[in-house]
């Protein structure tokens, strides 16, 4: 009754089988872990590559991108933005108030733009002049969008300097042309060949006897002022110019709105449709009554 019972010794064959099974399970698990590690490394490489490409595109984009807080502080900017604002690195802009680079004349406009972005939580645009270290002002267009996740707004900045300068030169050129036409009392007109409506200057209408610019003018209204005896020749020449896509030049008599009969010189050129613009005829018109009277007086003197 006092004997000690010892466990039976393990079966060597069974032990060997258990060890082989355990080693196989460990090898399979190791292969699975290596496969998972490989997939993780590949995913990490893809993420790093994507982040690198995104960062490169972000900094090399043709537009400047930056984030602003509610008080106009720059939180993030790309390299293009930094260079537009006269900096070498984007980090130099972090913490700076954007209105410090806005021209003093446009700072109120910028603050209104910023307030609308945060109050309406929508999309806003504005155009500003910036005072940066460069010859002449830098004109930009800001397009902003509110980002509620970070209590900030995302802004894209486009350089519009060339467009603004071109528009200023165009306005200057138009002003010079208007002054020249007014000095020699020549009216300018443009006929839309789709509906025969005419855009023209004030002098054009004044030549026909109207003290102010009428709200609407057409080719047919011009014909109504031409004396019936001269009207067929006017229509013939105008039709020939349209058919040939050429020029138009003639003299005729008109009856002004006040009943006075005057001599008129008109000239125009055909302009084909282009860049969304319809085909049109553009030209000038001038009252030549005094010249015609002088010519008639000279002819009578010769007779």
């Amino acid at each position: 009754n006092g004997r000690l019972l010892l466990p039976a010794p393990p079966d060597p064959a069974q032990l060997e089988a258990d060890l082989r099974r355990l080693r196989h399970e460990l090898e399979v698990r190791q292969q699975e872990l290596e496969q998972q590690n490989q997939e993780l490394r590949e995913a990490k490489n893809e993420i790093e590559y994507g982040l690198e490409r995104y960062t490169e595109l972000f900094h090399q984009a043709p537009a400047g991108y930056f984030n602003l807080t509610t008080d106009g502080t720059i939180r993030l900017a790309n390299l293009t933005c930094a260079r537009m604002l006269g900096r070498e690195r984007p980090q130099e802009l972090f913490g700076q108030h954007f209105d410090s680079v806005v021209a003093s004349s446009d700072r109120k406009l910028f603050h209104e733009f910023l307030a609308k972005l945060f109050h309406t939580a929508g999309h806003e645009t504005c155009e500003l002049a910036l005072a940066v270290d460069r010859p002449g002002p830098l004109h930009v267009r800001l397009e902003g969008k509110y980002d509620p996740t970070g209590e900030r707004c995302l802004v894209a900045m486009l350089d519009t300097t060339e467009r603004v300068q071109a528009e200023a030169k165009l306005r200057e050129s138009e002003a010079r042309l208007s002054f020249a036409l007014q000095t020699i009392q020549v009216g300018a007109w443009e006929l839309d060949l789709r509906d025969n409506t005419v855009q023209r200057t004030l002098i054009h209408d004044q030549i026909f006897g109207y003290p102010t610019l009428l709200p609407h003018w057409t080719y047919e209204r011009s014909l109504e002022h031409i004396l019936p005896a001269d009207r067929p020749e006017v229509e013939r020449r105008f039709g020939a110019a349209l058919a040939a896509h050429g020029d138009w030049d003639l003299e005729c008599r008109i009856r002004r709105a006040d009943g006075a009969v005057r001599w008129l010189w008109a000239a125009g050129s055909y302009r084909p449709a282009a860049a969304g613009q319809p085909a049109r005829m553009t030209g000038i018109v001038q009252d030549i009554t005094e010249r015609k009277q002088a010519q008639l007086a000279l002819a009578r003197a010769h007779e």
Side-chain angles (χ1 to χ4, degrees), residues 67-229:
N67 295 346
L68 292 178
T69 60
T70 54
D71 63 351
T73 302
I74 300 174
R75 294 282 300 275
L76 178 68
N78 68 347
L79 183 60
T80 303
C81 175
R83 289 174 176 171
M84 291 175 69
L85 300 182
R87 304 293 192 274
E88 292 294 330
R89 300 182 303 114
Q91 290 79 1
E92 298 178 36
L93 297 173
F94 298 171
Q96 179 179 343
H97 287 264
F98 187 81
D99 63 358
S100 64
V101 297
V102 177
S104 57
S105 58
D106 286 349
R107 286 179 183 169
K108 180 179 178 182
L109 182 62
F110 168 70
H111 287 292
E112 291 175 352
F113 162 78
L114 191 65
K116 288 180 181 178
L117 276 174
F118 283 98
H119 291 165
T120 64
H123 182 274
E124 298 291 337
T125 63
C126 73
E127 296 199 5
L128 306 168
L130 304 184
V132 295
D133 186 15
R134 54 169 286 167
L138 171 66
H139 296 274
V140 298
R141 174 183 175 87
L142 301 184
E143 298 185 1
K145 183 178 181 181
Y146 176 69
D147 178 18
T149 61
E151 284 298 319
R152 59 182 181 174
C153 61
L154 314 176
V155 183
M157 180 169 60
L158 303 173
D159 188 341
T160 60
T161 304
E162 291 186 3
R163 193 206 73 201
V164 171
Q165 291 175 345
E167 290 175 348
K169 290 180 179 178
L170 178 61
R171 287 193 297 269
E172 182 180 351
S173 176
E174 290 176 344
R176 287 198 300 265
L177 176 60
S178 177
F179 174 76
L181 293 176
Q182 187 173 3
T183 301
I184 60 177
Q185 285 298 292
V186 171
W189 53 268
E190 180 176 274
L191 171 65
D192 187 331
L193 295 175
R194 294 175 304 182
D195 54 11
N196 281 350
T197 57
V198 182
Q199 300 296 325
R200 68 270 176 227
T201 62
L202 173 60
I203 295 177
H204 172 282
D205 286 18
Q206 289 175 340
I207 288 173
F208 284 89
Y210 300 95
T212 59
L213 198 65
L214 297 184
H216 187 67
W217 193 278
T218 63
Y219 171 70
E220 290 73 20
R221 180 186 286 271
S222 299
L223 289 178
E224 292 172 0
H225 281 276
I226 298 172
L227 295 189

Side-chain angles (χ1 to χ4, degrees), residues 2-58:
R3 294 179 181 178
L4 180 62
L5 297 177
L6 297 176
D11 183 2
Q14 182 62 39
L15 182 59
E16 180 66 23
D18 291 342
L19 290 175
R20 283 198 302 270
R21 179 178 54 78
L22 181 60
R23 185 166 54 247
H24 175 71
E25 292 177 354
L26 291 174
E27 290 175 352
V28 170
R29 183 57 179 165
Q30 183 179 5
Q31 292 176 358
E32 292 175 351
L33 291 175
E34 290 177 354
Q35 179 65 28
Q36 292 176 1
N37 286 336
Q38 180 63 27
E39 292 175 355
L40 289 174
R41 284 192 296 268
E42 292 175 355
K44 178 175 176 293
N45 292 336
E46 289 179 1
I47 293 173
E48 290 178 348
Y49 177 76
L51 180 60
E52 181 180 351
R53 293 294 297 161
Y54 168 78
T55 303
E56 181 180 356
L57 291 173
F58 176 69

